[in-house]
Amino acid sequence: MIETPANPNDFARRLLRRLKGRRRPEAEDGLGISEPGTISPFWVIVQKEFGDHMRSWRFGILIGIIALACIGSIYAAVTALKDGVKTQDTDTSFLFLQMFTASDGTLPAFSTFVSFLGPLMGIALGFDAINSERGKGTLSRLLSQPIYRDDFIRAKFTASLLLIAVVLFALGLLVMGLGLFTIGYPPTPEEVLRVVLFLLVGVIYVGFWLNLSMLLSIRFRQAATSALSGIALWIFFSVFYGMIASMIDKATMPPETSALDILLRHADRMLLLNRLSPAYLFSETTGTLLTPGIRSLGPLTTEQVVGAIASPLPLGQSLLLCWPQLVGLLAATMICFGLSYALFMRQEVRSRS
């Protein structure tokens, strides 16, 4: 929980009071067994966690930073589009999508801000999800009530993921509204679908970092340790991993006079190495969805380029092109959640004396 009262029993009392208040009179029989009229404790915990996140100072500060960064990226995109249209350097097809990818050079684009600051939101919502409950002594009291362990951890994840979805879709709709108001160019149905898919991919990407931070919260008993570990992994994949991959590329680069198949094998190996980073997978997926002109995500030979028609891909073909990257992000998110679930279910929870 974000803000737990000083008395560890308060949360358990509030949760039980809410469960009793939402139970219908005919929900239990004489043996105290719940019937279909009972509200599940899972959804009660989800609502409680969602409300705690919304009322916390941590979430307010983080949303303020992300909102200011996104507004700045919108201003940079609008400036770049206006300058490009005046000089006739900007392609007017899919102009609305360029609100999410264009920049005048002063600030990154909106998709870049989501890629960089989105993980920070996931880490902030999950780094103390479990160890703070254990440290305050509320975890053992909660689990001593008629609440299953899997309901508890699934509710923690669901509440945070719902909040992430609300924030990202709100920011995405803000960009669309400001773009429509500023450039006066309405989006086509395909552009709207591409933006919605981009926001869904953003939710999956931030959900990966949320699951990773929850895993660290279960593994480490101190919230500071899990927070520093999550931020260290975020900085590593966002900044240093690309540098390391570039160094490996330069060190293993074959001579330019090598055969074409050798050069292609090296390019494929380096592409596979880069795709081990979730940030790289997210950039490839969003780039394909928001830039219909991208026709390939790997190296192309001259024979493959000759005869190709230079036209944007339809939405279905763009989805097929980035489908492996999207499956990779989903797999990484599910693996992190599975590890968190298994580790939490096997941990011993003791009450504080």
Side-chain angles (χ1 to χ4, degrees):
M1 302 296 170
I2 300 300
E3 295 175 358
T4 305
N7 187 357
N9 293 321
D10 286 348
F11 176 76
R13 292 197 192 99
R14 292 163 60 190
L15 182 60
L16 289 176
R17 192 182 308 119
R18 185 171 297 186
L19 285 172
K20 292 178 181 178
R22 299 191 178 192
R23 183 178 295 122
R24 298 177 183 175
E26 68 276 12
E28 293 183 356
D29 56 15
L31 299 177
I33 300 176
S34 298
E35 294 183 355
T38 306
I39 299 297
S40 171
F42 169 78
W43 291 111
V44 175
I45 299 176
V46 168
Q47 295 174 14
K48 176 65 170 58
E49 283 290 318
F50 192 89
D52 284 347
H53 284 309
M54 290 291 292
R55 291 187 295 267
S56 65
W57 280 100
R58 177 199 312 172
F59 177 74
I61 294 173
L62 186 62
I63 289 303
I65 295 174
I66 295 177
L68 288 175
C70 291
I71 291 174
S73 67
I74 294 170
Y75 175 77
V78 170
T79 304
L81 290 177
K82 287 184 176 180
D83 294 341
V85 170
K86 289 179 181 179
T87 58
Q88 297 182 353
D89 293 335
T90 300
D91 186 9
T92 56
S93 60
F94 298 100
L95 184 63
F96 200 83
L97 291 179
Q98 297 183 36
M99 288 289 302
F100 296 85
T101 58
S103 175
D104 61 351
T106 58
L107 289 173
F110 178 81
S111 58
T112 305
F113 268 122
V114 173
S115 175
F116 188 74
L117 294 180
L120 186 61
M121 180 169 58
I123 294 171
L125 293 178
F127 77 92
D128 61 345
I130 305 299
N131 49 23
S132 64
E133 301 281 359
R134 183 182 288 110
K136 295 176 182 178
T138 57
L139 182 60
S140 59
R141 288 174 171 82
L142 277 176
L143 297 182
S144 64
Q145 307 298 328
I147 300 174
Y148 294 107
R149 279 198 180 196
D150 56 346
D151 281 344
F152 178 76
I153 188 171
R154 287 189 299 112
K156 286 274 188 178
F157 169 71
T158 303
S160 300
L161 190 65
L162 285 176
L163 187 62
I164 290 169
V166 170
V167 171
L168 288 182
F169 272 88
L171 292 175
L173 293 176
L174 175 65
V175 174
M176 294 178 67
L178 291 178
L180 182 61
F181 178 77
T182 304
I183 65 178
Y185 184 82
T188 63
E190 181 178 347
E191 288 178 319
V192 174
L193 287 177
R194 285 180 178 272
V195 172
V196 171
L197 290 174
F198 159 68
L199 296 176
L200 286 175
V201 173
V203 172
I204 296 173
Y205 176 62
V206 180
F208 163 76
W209 290 99
L210 171 65
N211 276 321
L212 183 60
S213 62
M214 289 184 63
L215 176 61
L216 297 173
S217 175
I218 297 171
R219 177 60 181 84
F220 300 110
R221 293 187 176 273
Q222 299 296 327
T225 306
S226 59
L228 290 175
S229 301
I231 292 175
L233 290 173
W234 167 57
I235 294 176
F236 173 75
F237 282 111
S238 299
V239 179
F240 295 106
Y241 190 83
M243 299 179 183
I244 295 174
S246 299
M247 293 173 59
I248 296 176
D249 186 15
K250 292 181 180 179
T252 59
M253 174 70 72
E256 295 182 358
T257 56
S258 301
L260 180 61
D261 57 343
I262 297 177
L263 296 175
L264 288 177
R265 282 199 301 269
H266 173 75
D268 291 335
R269 285 195 298 266
M270 296 310 304
L271 193 59
L272 178 61
L273 180 63
N274 284 318
R275 286 174 177 170
L276 295 178
S277 169
Y280 192 84
L281 292 177
F282 177 73
S283 64
E284 281 192 330
T285 306
T286 56
T288 305
L289 291 175
L290 296 178
T291 310
I294 295 179
R295 304 180 62 87
S296 176
L297 296 176
L300 294 175
T301 60
T302 306
E303 291 79 5
Q304 293 173 327
V305 176
V306 171
I309 300 175
S311 61
L313 291 179
L315 178 59
Q317 295 298 320
S318 296
L319 281 175
L320 289 177
L321 185 62
C322 66
W323 183 251
Q325 286 77 9
L326 181 58
V327 172
L329 281 176
L330 280 171
T333 305
M334 295 175 65
I335 288 173
C336 285
F337 180 76
L339 292 175
S340 303
Y341 184 90
L343 184 60
F344 180 72
M345 295 295 288
R346 293 172 62 90
Q347 272 189 348
E348 181 181 4
V349 178
R350 296 181 180 180
S351 60
R352 297 180 63 184
S353 56

